[in-house]
Amino acid sequence: MTNPVFLVGAFGVALVLTLMGFMAPAAVLGDIIGAWSLSNAQAGWLGGALFVGYIATVPILTAYTDRIDPKWIYLTCAAIGAVGNFGFGLVADGLWSGVIFRVLTGIGLAGTFMPGLKALSDQLPPGKVQQRGSTYYSSFFALGSGGSILIAGVTAQYLDWHWAFVFAGIGGLCALLTVAIILPSKEPDPAAKDAGAALDFRPVLRDRAVMSYIVSSLGTAWEVFSARVWLVTFFLHLQARMAIGETGWSPSVWATLVALIGVPAAMVVGELCVRYDRRKIVMAIALISTAFAAGIGLTTDGAYELTLVFCMIFGMSSYGRSATINAGTIAAADPARRGSALAVLAFIGFSGGILGPLAFGVALDYTGGSGDPLAWKIAMGVMALGGVITFLSLLAAPRSKINGG
């Protein structure tokens, strides 16, 4: 039951199941706005509620995985996340009840994604097996977040939008049962209790090697979530100029493919980083990501097919480096403070996921709006800053420790 391949596969499936409700509102937002008579601003509150719950609790929940068996944190929060999804689909009837249940869903994600990574890494042998397992597990995030849009959209099309969240709740319960069965309990490392207060993050913040990965994660999330939020609208802008029948798949399908192509890319990048110099590989991929993010904007007036190719390469280089950054953080961190390191990673990294789309939207608004090709060029340039942040962070890192154990 503790075979590494089995554990990583089971945890990856559980991660996808817990993410079924993650981006579901994006797929059915029009239906929710109509059903609850929401303004665009109120819809924005609803869309951001999950991130409020996540950001507010992830440092505490992940840090305490050094002191408490992470299995119980995971199971408790998986249940909370399931309640959030079931409540949104079956109980919520307006803005604030919807916000409350989405906050609960965010708390559920905060207690399963990074604590799940900590629980998995604790069960894997240190070294290459642990690094591979951490990379493969993290790569499933792109699959789960992208799949949540498709599943919710198809469910709403054939049933009703409420069922998208009911199925997400069922997925959360399946993840809970999976982890409850396959994850052995583990007593916390006694050294962790002697390492200072659980929420004292100063040793992590002083560790330059760990912080280089954490700041590079901010840059990666800046790009990844900018694409997640804005690519559908970008493809709509491109397809609006084309004749009917020439556009191919819908914008949501293309945006999902950009995310999903990052899953195999992340596994390949992770394997390269296990075999060779992680720092150099991630820096090179960050530069590729920067170039193609900017290139997407520059091809806005060109051939649609070329823009799609650039988007796919950007998806591979942005989503593809996220998982190996998580693995690098684990490898570089003091084992007694691994939970604290992942807590800081989750908080600062996810902050990039909030700031990136916001900066993208501001750039779009202030340079001509979503109908102006020049505005999209500038906004894509803003998105490309994420790769620059990753590159500079790793460039300044101490080389003696940056490639991890």
Side-chain angles (χ1 to χ4, degrees):
M1 294 292 284
T2 58
N3 177 276
V5 175
F6 177 82
L7 273 176
V8 172
F11 265 82
V13 171
L15 176 59
V16 171
L17 291 171
T18 59
L19 287 169
M20 284 179 63
F22 179 54
M23 297 296 293
V28 297
L29 192 57
D31 294 328
I32 296 173
I33 289 173
W36 293 351
S37 301
L38 302 179
S39 67
N40 287 331
Q42 289 173 326
W45 275 101
L46 194 64
L50 178 144
F51 298 99
V52 171
Y54 183 91
I55 289 290
T57 56
V58 72
I60 299 171
L61 293 171
T62 308
Y64 268 95
T65 58
D66 286 331
R67 311 301 178 93
I68 302 171
D69 184 352
K71 177 176 182 176
W72 302 112
I73 294 176
Y74 188 106
L75 297 181
T76 301
C77 291
I80 292 172
V83 169
N85 283 312
F86 281 127
F88 194 92
L90 300 175
V91 179
D93 58 0
L95 173 63
W96 295 113
S97 58
V99 165
I100 289 171
F101 285 116
R102 288 302 286 172
V103 168
L104 290 179
T105 306
I107 295 171
L109 179 61
T112 52
F113 177 38
M114 282 298 175
L117 178 57
K118 172 63 163 56
L120 176 63
S121 65
D122 284 348
Q123 297 292 332
L124 299 176
K128 292 184 177 181
V129 172
Q130 187 182 74
Q131 293 178 42
R132 285 192 178 100
S134 301
T135 298
Y136 293 164
Y137 168 82
S138 298
S139 69
F140 275 86
F141 188 94
L143 179 62
S145 61
S148 69
I149 294 180
L150 283 180
I151 292 170
V154 171
T155 301
Q157 181 179 354
Y158 289 100
L159 296 173
D160 179 81
W161 69 265
H162 297 84
W163 282 99
F165 296 93
V166 173
F167 289 149
I170 294 171
L173 292 182
C174 290
L176 185 156
L177 291 174
T178 299
V179 173
I181 293 170
I182 62 99
L183 179 64
S185 295
K186 180 179 176 64
E187 288 296 323
D189 185 350
K193 296 181 180 180
D194 301 326
L199 300 181
D200 181 6
F201 299 115
R202 289 175 296 178
V204 175
L205 296 173
R206 288 194 295 263
D207 189 325
R208 288 181 58 205
V210 172
M211 286 305 299
S212 68
Y213 280 118
I214 289 173
V215 175
S216 67
S217 175
L218 184 150
T220 302
W222 177 289
E223 286 185 323
V224 165
F225 281 92
S226 293
R228 171 60 70 207
V229 171
W230 287 105
L231 273 190
V232 171
T233 306
F234 175 63
F235 287 133
L236 282 170
H237 164 73
L238 295 180
Q239 292 186 2
R241 302 176 303 163
M242 302 172 65
I244 296 175
E246 295 182 358
T247 58
W249 288 327
S250 69
S252 61
V253 171
W254 281 117
T256 301
L257 287 175
V258 172
L260 294 184
I261 201 171
V263 177
M267 294 179 179
V268 172
V269 171
E271 188 63 29
L272 290 174
C273 289
V274 169
R275 294 171 180 267
Y276 305 107
D277 189 312
R278 184 190 306 274
R279 172 178 172 271
K280 291 181 180 178
I281 291 172
V282 175
M283 288 172 64
I285 293 172
L287 288 180
I288 293 170
S289 185
T290 298
F292 279 93
I296 293 169
L298 295 176
T299 62
T300 301
D301 297 323
Y304 180 59
E305 293 79 5
L306 180 61
T307 305
L308 291 177
V309 171
F310 276 34
C311 287
M312 292 300 166
I313 297 174
F314 168 78
M316 288 188 284
S317 55
S318 58
Y319 289 89
R321 73 177 189 270
S322 177
T324 198
I325 288 174
N326 291 348
T329 304
I330 289 175
D334 178 352
R337 295 189 179 277
R338 190 172 288 151
S340 295
L342 289 175
V344 178
L345 172 72
F347 183 83
I348 293 180
F350 229 84
S351 297
I354 296 172
L355 295 174
L358 176 62
F360 192 110
V362 169
L364 201 59
D365 280 344
Y366 280 89
T367 56
S370 60
D372 188 340
L374 177 61
W376 284 107
K377 288 180 171 63
I378 295 172
M380 291 297 176
V382 170
M383 183 172 71
L385 293 175
V388 176
I389 293 170
T390 295
F391 177 84
L392 293 178
S393 174
L394 293 176
L395 181 66
R399 302 190 186 187
S400 60
K401 189 181 174 185
I402 189 62
N403 284 304

